[in-house]
Amino acid sequence: MSILPGPGWWAGLPPAAGAAVMATGIISVALHMTGHETSSLVALVIAVALWLVLAVDFTARLVGDHGRFRAEADTPAALTAVAATTVIGTRLSLLGWQTAAAALLALAAVLWPGLLFNVVRHWRRRMPGGAFLGCVATQGLAVLAAVLAAACHQDWPARAALAAFCLGLLLYVAALFRFDLREVVGGAGDHWVAGGALSISALAGSKLTASPVWSGSAHAALRTVTLVTLALSLVWYVVLLAAELRHPRPRYDIRRWATVFPLGMTATACLSVAGPAGIAWLVPLGEFLLWIAVVAWVVTVAVLVSSHAAARRPPHRGGPPA
């Protein structure tokens, strides 16, 4: 019996599968920042391969299945398309592929307004952690724009990144008022985005703080906001981890990739904030959190394979011997 999916398996993937790209991509970024280049490139290849699969499926639904596309475009998970694209773009920029990174930024920027509008107008009270994906997608644009600004020595992408950064923070506050706090003890995995959204905000803030575009009071304000968002993300990390230990949820759910992504993003944010903020101890903290994220990634893959194998196993029909 094969544990591998059959032909056409990608057609059944929901939008939430984009979180797997986000998780793998950001772990690749963090591995690169800590000098583990080979492992980082392996993670990047996996992330790009999955991104391409999801991009083909996204296009097929857009062209050939308008009903399903419209239904899924209204859900918060649809914004993983934007966030995943910006994460891949950020890693490609760090690799020196600025043209490809700029193309992905343009693609994400085209997708972002329509998907964000559809998602926000369907917001309701007591939402799961996916509500924070509006912030994540917007801050993803800020991160990639700021990274490209530094790589290409241009000011306008940094100014655009600042606008996205501020909007992302507003979207976080709006989502927080709609987040169902009961998800902390009963969520299927995407409740971790409540902290991950602050982590990617801190990452965006660190890139802006490091930019020479701002100085004086503007630089000080960016540094302060960045440190506050990072501190709050670490508080969320502790609270969510304690809730997981107190209320274990061992069953596989595709939303578990939305747990791995914040783990990797918090590690990356610590590593990135350390330099511009001048706080050296954030580096070993980020390295420690990175390996937690790597272990979580491996465990999630293992549980996925195990769950798939169990689902494909034929039911036992044997009876007691005569």
Side-chain angles (χ1 to χ4, degrees), residues 24-301:
T24 310
I26 201 60
I27 285 176
S28 175
V29 171
L31 288 169
H32 166 77
M33 295 175 69
T34 53
H36 299 88
E37 197 62 26
T38 300
S39 299
S40 173
L41 290 175
V42 170
L44 175 61
V45 169
I46 295 172
V48 170
L50 184 53
W51 182 87
L52 289 172
V53 168
L54 294 175
V56 169
D57 186 44
F58 181 93
T59 304
R61 283 184 277 121
L62 176 62
V63 173
D65 192 348
H66 296 289
R68 179 184 170 190
F69 180 84
R70 284 194 299 269
E72 293 181 343
D74 293 339
T75 64
L79 286 165
T80 62
V82 175
T85 301
T86 61
V87 170
I88 295 295
T90 298
R91 182 62 185 94
L92 293 182
S93 178
L94 296 176
L95 201 60
W97 296 3
Q98 308 307 337
T99 301
L104 290 178
L105 175 60
L107 175 60
V110 168
L111 294 174
W112 171 74
L115 290 175
L116 182 64
F117 175 77
N118 280 337
V119 168
V120 169
R121 71 189 181 95
H122 286 89
W123 270 359
R124 62 186 189 281
R125 292 176 58 84
R126 295 186 176 180
M127 293 188 65
F132 294 100
L133 285 169
C135 170
V136 171
T138 306
Q139 297 292 16
L141 291 171
V143 171
L144 181 49
V147 168
L148 282 169
C152 301
H153 306 289
Q154 295 183 349
D155 290 351
W156 71 265
R159 299 185 189 283
L162 178 61
F165 175 69
C166 294
L167 177 58
L169 293 177
L170 292 175
L171 287 168
Y172 184 89
V173 173
L176 184 62
F177 282 107
R178 291 167 174 80
F179 178 52
D180 186 353
L181 288 174
R182 294 174 298 181
E183 291 285 304
V184 172
V185 296
D190 58 353
H191 55 292
W192 276 83
V193 185
L198 287 172
S199 296
I200 193 172
S201 298
L203 177 60
S206 72
K207 301 302 181 185
L208 291 169
T209 303
S211 172
V213 175
W214 294 280
S215 59
S217 59
H219 178 272
L222 280 171
R223 182 181 183 275
T224 299
V225 173
T226 298
L227 290 175
V228 169
T229 53
L230 180 62
L232 291 174
S233 75
L234 291 171
V235 171
W236 266 116
Y237 194 111
V238 173
V239 170
L240 292 168
L241 181 59
E244 292 279 355
L245 296 175
R246 180 66 178 83
H247 305 277
R249 286 148 267 184
R251 290 176 60 88
Y252 175 76
D253 189 293
I254 197 167
R255 287 168 290 183
R256 268 306 177 193
W257 288 109
T259 297
V260 182
F261 169 70
L263 295 176
M265 182 55 73
T266 305
T268 306
C270 288
L271 293 168
S272 184
V273 170
I279 304 177
W281 58 264
L282 285 175
V283 173
L285 175 61
E287 292 172 345
F288 175 73
L289 296 179
L290 169 59
W291 295 115
I292 294 177
V294 170
V295 170
W297 188 94
V298 172
V299 169
T300 303
V301 171

